[in-house]
Amino acid sequence: MGESPELLQQGRGPVPVRRQRPAPQGLRAMLKARLWRSCSCSVPCAWALVQDLLPATRWLCQYRLREYLAGDVMSGLVIGIILVPQAIAYSLLAGLQPIYSLYTSFFANLIYFLMGTSRHVSVGIFSLLCLMVGQVVDRELQLAGFDPSQDGLWPGANGSILNGSAATLDCGRDCYAIRVATALTLMTGLYQVLMGVLRLGFVSAYLSQPLLDGFAMGASVTILTSQLKHLLGVRIPRHQGLGMVVRTWLSLLRSVGQANVCDVVTSTVCLVVLLAAKELSDRYRRRLRVPVPTELLVIVVATLVSHFGQLHKRFGSSVAGDIPTGFMAPQVPEPRLMQRVALDAVALALVGAAFSISLAEMFGRSHGYSVRANQELLAVGCCNVLPAFLHCFATSAALAKSLVKIATGCRTQLSSVVSSAVVLLVLLALAPLFHDLQRSVLACVIVVSLRGALRKVWDLPRLWRMSPADAVVWAGTAATCVLVSTETGLLAGVILSLLSLAGRTQRPHAALLARIGDSAFYEDATEFEGLVPEPGVRVFRFAGPLYYANKDFFLRSLYSLTGLDAGRMAARRKEQGSGVGVGVGEGGPAQGKDLGPVSSRAALMPAAAGFHTVVIDCAPLLFLDAAGVATLEDLRRDYGALGISLLLACCSPPVRDILSRGGFLGEGPGDTAEEEQLFLSVHDAVQTAGARHRELEATDACL
């Protein structure tokens, strides 16, 4: 930044000298340089690439054994204990056998341990994704001919069919359900990996927090509705399509008289115990070093009571059934099913990516480390792609388990390995012990886990007071999820968010500014008292970009606030052929010094609204497009025809460049248009306008 004597103006002070930018690189040269960097290979470059793809190879070398190990082992054990009952319970949402949920929890933790950049995120089964997977699985089962009113864990459900089309399949209901789930998971993972390779991590930023909160709220209501039949022990069809929640409630009301008394009593007792334990845990959270595994204790006690009380045989209460041990042979998902669920996978990929990236960035900011959004996409995508061949379904980061990891002292992702070890123990030895576990108990675990999401409804009034547009996005997304479907709710949320963003930029706040006392600062005259308007000058602020969608609003706001429609007045005077001056209004003499010379006669003509200069405060002006530059050019021409000057203040360098490239500031390098038109501050522009006006008045007096 230097001071150039030839650039000093009267009353303007020093003007900064623009740096000379290097000549832009041609497209061919740029592509050639990037291709060369990408294709060049060396041992350090290869090792750096491995460390970027597998961040664990970097931080494991710096692992502090004495400082980190105790916290990682403790948090890993606690998360593993929580994962087991949740995995078994969430299989109800996905319409799959519990063993597949355990597989998913095991492999997802190991893969994210190697590829994730967040130290605290817990990746595994997530209730919202389980719901979306379950809806696709139910639809495909119905199309294949299986009875949608039967769940995979009901006795004899594996052979229940509606028509003969299911008989042509080479496997039963459970086998076909996991085939659909793995095909959906593979497509979801491929989308996420593709987004990571193409560096599209920024796309998740367009899923705003009100959208995600509203989607979580609507999906939670859907999940709660789907679990009521298990709480009551009734058999109703799993409805699909539009109005699923409403139709499910109608079916429940018609079947409430057939409720199983044993399941109702069990659900009531478990809900009371779980909710009370959660409330006490939240109240005394700071005193508890380790969260109490209430879900596991309830499941163990309920399993013992169901086994020794023979609740399944005596009262017909539905139970989890046989859960095999060990691992199944890998299997390639069917391409035919992948084509059928390709569109459904888009919603799962977006939701999983948005929640994973937002949680990773949130915990990274709160704990002082950085995460890479694109690598998170690759990590979550690989958590879906690779396990899809191992009988797993879609996963993502989960907030509740991530908070538990932090509360129990997690320091790195080594805790995920410990959690996987706990799940592995259940897979190899303990899984058959849950044979007599009632499904109503699993439904209670799911319902209680929704407590945090359902409580977000109390945030809606505060959100409305802070931002009505965000509140509309929240409410619209949640209502669409409940009344229509979860996929439609996500689409509605995206559309509402984009409309909200467009509305805010299309009609931003506009105001006339006045001077704060004798200072060099100017503020909105309608918001603050005691401001002093500058005589003969109107200072206009437009708090938003100027582009094709809001150029008309920009002009209407300016004309309305200044009291002069310059476009209409200039066109009228042009038709009448009466010169530049306009002899209406009560203002004093005004001058019109634009980029070209203005006659003294025009300067002596009274301005239409009592001002001789309009200053536009461009500090809030984020960007301009071609339509915005054309609008400013037309405005300058119309004001010039009326003897009024148009000055711009506080333009950012990008706005200056756009004005220069658009021809608004003249053509040649020696053109002084920028010096005459642009100013570093509003006060500088106002003072210069006054000095120019007084200079013209003196000249006209001499004439």
Side-chain angles (χ1 to χ4, degrees), residues 531-553:
L531 302 187
V532 181
E534 198 69 23
V537 179
R538 298 293 182 264
V539 182
F540 177 70
R541 174 186 290 170
F542 192 70
L546 179 57
Y547 66 115
Y548 68 95
N550 66 0
K551 59 183 180 63
D552 294 331
F553 179 74

Side-chain angles (χ1 to χ4, degrees), residues 262-332:
C262 180
D263 285 336
V264 172
V265 173
T266 302
S267 302
T268 303
V269 174
C270 291
L271 285 176
V272 171
V273 173
L274 288 172
L275 289 174
K278 289 293 183 181
E279 291 295 332
L280 292 175
S281 178
D282 292 344
R283 182 172 300 181
Y284 300 102
R285 178 171 46 197
R286 296 182 179 179
R287 300 183 183 180
L288 295 175
R289 181 176 179 82
V290 179
V292 179
T294 311
E295 293 91 346
L296 182 63
L297 296 177
V298 168
I299 283 180
V300 170
V301 173
T303 303
L304 293 175
V305 171
S306 176
H307 176 73
F308 291 105
Q310 298 183 348
L311 301 183
H312 175 60
K313 294 181 180 179
R314 295 172 58 187
F315 303 102
S317 180
S318 59
V319 295
D322 293 328
I323 304 178
T325 57
F327 292 93
M328 300 180 183
Q331 186 176 7
V332 179

